[in-house]
Amino acid sequence: MENENSSNSNETPPSQSLESLSISPQPQMSVKERFDIIRSIGEECIQEDELERLLANKPQPICYDGFEPSGRMHIAQGVMKAINVNKLTSAGCKVKIWIADWFAQLNNKMGGDLKKIQVIGQYLIEIWKAVGMNIEGGQVEFIWSSEEINSRAHEYWPLVMDIARRNKLPRIVRCCQIMGRSEQDELTAAQIFYPCMQCADVFFLKADICQLGMDQRKVNVLAREYCDDIKRKNKPIILSHHMLPGLQEGQEKMSKSDPSSSIYMEDEEADVNVKIKKAFCPPKVVEKNPCLEYIKYIIFPWFNEFTVERKPENGGDKTFKSFKDLADDYESGELHPGDLKPALAKAINQILQPVRDHFNNDPKAKELVKRVKVCTIDFCVHFEVVGTRALKFYSTL
């Protein structure tokens, strides 16, 4: 894995402003064009005027994203992240993807076994490569938290300690949802420490933009509040992307405890077809309709269109060029769930097929799958190799 070069020992102390990296310009695109692309990623942006100033003054802003390697990858983490990263790099950004293996250990993922967590991390990176994340040219950097923190401990831990010292315990506990926990959960001491570390990551990675999900908003706001505490003028911009809901009625987010709640990156074509067929998709209802959300946030950004194949008596085939046109047809009843669902399943399978092919045909990927199988079988995730040697997961997480 690529790692950042270690910094010199005379780094700016945490109580002073930490400047971000600056690299070569992207002259072919205007500031407004870059702004529009980057802003399209976020359901929320704090603050838009700061983002405009950043793009006007810095040719290659640093964007930070991160993930805990903790088992299966659903389509939002796999495809949406690839879409967002590719948008950011096309707009001239450098994206640092923080592989939070230590954080997964703190959060007791994979039973707290760091070696297993790291194998899962390698597997997830391989999925992003297969699905089409643009990692060529050095604009995307995968950084393992355990390696980077150990190599620059003299920078990292004073920063974590300073953040912890300046915040009361209730403020930190309010951030615990970033780990998939609630304030009412009985937290370990390690999990209390986690938000302070994630807040520190923003500054440690010299991030200009925090590009994470809406569920990570509270700790990103904590990072901006920390800037006020240390009198730092340039705050990290928060660009929070939309969270896809589960496929069943009333599921605000996808859940690993319910495999039917989402599409996973290793799902076979038949799995996708069955899950979409059973998905909640009430006629004439656009709001909180998970099938329409998949189309809006995955299919249109990927293909720039959505084609529905229908019998002539049902209106015939139609290609939608915008989500608004599709939503209008659906709300009016001109587009029925019985026609929308097969089209959605077909589009998702088109996106996922290169991932299946990669893990079926690439020797290195096949070997990695075997290692993942060994790591996860003890953690109640059961694998079965079927048919064309494709990997199928049965999760009891």
Side-chain angles (χ1 to χ4, degrees), residues 224-272:
R224 287 179 63 89
E225 292 173 354
Y226 177 67
C227 290
D228 292 331
D229 291 339
I230 63 174
K231 305 297 188 291
R232 172 178 167 162
K233 183 179 179 181
N234 295 323
K235 299 179 181 180
I237 294 156
I238 304 173
L239 192 66
S240 303
H241 64 251
H242 180 73
M243 303 292 292
L244 277 184
L247 289 172
Q248 305 306 312
E249 183 176 6
Q251 293 180 329
E252 291 187 3
K253 61 184 293 186
M254 291 172 272
S255 169
K256 288 184 180 180
S257 63
D258 181 5
S260 68
S261 72
S262 66
I263 305 298
Y264 292 93
M265 295 300 291
E266 74 282 350
D267 277 350
E268 289 300 315
E269 183 175 350
D271 299 325
V272 173

Side-chain angles (χ1 to χ4, degrees), residues 21-31 33-35 37-38 41 54-55 58-63 84-95 134 138-140 208-209:
L21 303 176
S22 180
I23 312 180
S24 58
Q26 301 284 327
Q28 71 275 18
M29 197 175 289
S30 71
V31 169
E33 288 170 328
R34 295 169 69 203
F35 175 86
I37 291 172
I38 294 170
I41 294 169
L54 173 68
L55 296 176
K58 187 168 186 179
Q60 190 175 50
I62 304 300
C63 300
N84 291 343
V85 167
N86 289 354
K87 282 184 176 182
L88 290 168
T89 57
S90 74
C93 296
K94 181 178 178 66
V95 181
N134 181 19
Q139 283 182 273
V140 177
D208 300 300
I209 300 171

Side-chain angles (χ1 to χ4, degrees), residues 287-304:
E287 293 298 318
K288 297 185 178 181
N289 185 323
C291 289
L292 268 67
E293 292 225 4
Y294 269 53
I295 294 169
K296 180 178 181 179
Y297 291 100
I298 293 178
I299 306 305
F300 268 108
W302 193 272
F303 294 108
N304 295 313

Side-chain angles (χ1 to χ4, degrees), residues 5 49 69 94 187-188 222 241:
N5 294 327
D49 59 331
K94 181 178 178 66
L187 303 174
T188 66
L222 181 66
H241 64 251

